[in-house]
Amino acid sequence: MKGSNAVSAPKDNYAQFIEQLDAASRNLTARREPLTRTLEILDVLLRQNALGLQLWEERRADVGKLLDKEVSSAEKLQALSELHEVSLRMESMFQNRTQRIREKQASFQARREEISKSLLELDRSRLKLTSSRTLSRERENLNRAVADLAGTPEGVTTASADRGLRDDLSEARRAIVLAAALMEV
């Protein structure tokens, strides 16, 4: 009975650790999804503000050219000067806004990459743990088969239930003994 618990314990531990890895993956995935949506929104805002910046830069350049050419009336010169000032302020505002959005975007991107890296590590750990679990089960099965072939009390009880199986196991034991003897020679 004591041996049965020892064999079952690794299975339970593997399942428990795999569940912990899965829970951590679910939590990180849940955190990554809003970051991805936020990055999509920031991308739209960045494109809109970059376009706004470009348009105000063009307007400022156009007004600047008109200012250089216009000397005919003080009234037109005053209006163009005011338009030029507005263009400068708007250009500066869009430039600042675009910079802030880029900074936020970089911050959110870094967080998302950190989470993605952790998720990749969790997946690798899960794969390693699953492989180890499979190897452990295979080792158990192999040990059980060798024990059956060696005629341990567990094997005898199982073998006595079927006379043909017992004969096959005896034949297999003889083959193992012969193979071991051959390897010694």
Side-chain angles (χ1 to χ4, degrees):
M1 200 67 179
K2 189 176 185 180
S4 298
N5 289 341
V7 171
S8 298
K11 290 181 184 177
D12 293 339
N13 286 341
Y14 281 114
Q16 178 184 1
F17 287 124
I18 288 172
E19 179 52 38
Q20 287 176 351
L21 291 173
D22 289 344
S25 291
R26 284 190 301 272
N27 289 341
L28 286 178
T29 299
R31 288 183 175 271
R32 185 176 61 177
E33 288 172 6
L35 287 174
T36 300
R37 286 191 302 272
T38 301
L39 281 167
E40 290 168 357
I41 292 167
L42 287 172
D43 186 52
V44 169
L45 288 173
L46 181 63
R47 282 186 273 133
Q48 289 174 347
N49 279 282
L51 178 61
L53 175 61
Q54 179 185 354
L55 293 173
W56 281 107
E57 285 173 343
E58 290 171 5
R59 178 178 246 175
R60 179 193 44 82
D62 290 343
V63 171
K65 288 177 188 173
L66 289 173
L67 266 174
D68 292 340
K69 292 179 185 177
E70 186 60 47
V71 284
S72 62
S73 80
E75 190 175 295
K76 285 184 180 180
L77 190 60
Q78 178 66 28
L80 288 173
S81 293
E82 287 175 11
L83 282 175
H84 192 261
E85 282 183 38
V86 169
S87 296
L88 283 171
R89 282 192 302 245
M90 293 303 290
E91 183 180 347
S92 176
M93 183 189 74
F94 274 94
Q95 202 166 32
N96 290 337
R97 211 186 273 176
T98 301
Q99 182 61 33
R100 283 194 315 268
I101 291 171
R102 281 192 178 118
E103 289 169 0
K104 286 183 184 207
Q105 198 175 35
S107 172
F108 281 103
Q109 183 67 34
R111 280 193 247 167
R112 188 176 75 171
E113 286 173 5
E114 185 179 350
I115 289 172
S116 293
K117 183 179 176 185
S118 294
L119 283 170
L120 183 62
E121 289 300 319
L122 284 170
D123 285 344
R124 285 182 184 153
S125 295
R126 188 182 197 295
L127 182 62
K128 287 177 184 176
L129 196 56
T130 302
S131 296
S132 178
R133 182 184 199 186
T134 302
L135 287 173
S136 176
R137 285 181 179 167
E138 291 300 319
R139 197 175 303 119
E140 278 179 36
N141 291 340
L142 183 61
N143 286 340
R144 193 175 306 118
V146 169
D148 287 347
L149 291 174
T152 62
E154 294 169 0
V156 172
T157 305
T158 306
S160 65
D162 182 357
R163 176 84 176 138
L165 178 60
R166 194 166 104 198
D167 292 340
D168 289 342
L169 289 174
S170 294
E171 201 173 307
R173 278 189 218 115
R174 277 192 292 271
I176 290 174
V177 169
L178 287 174
L182 182 62
M183 287 176 24
E184 287 180 22
V185 173

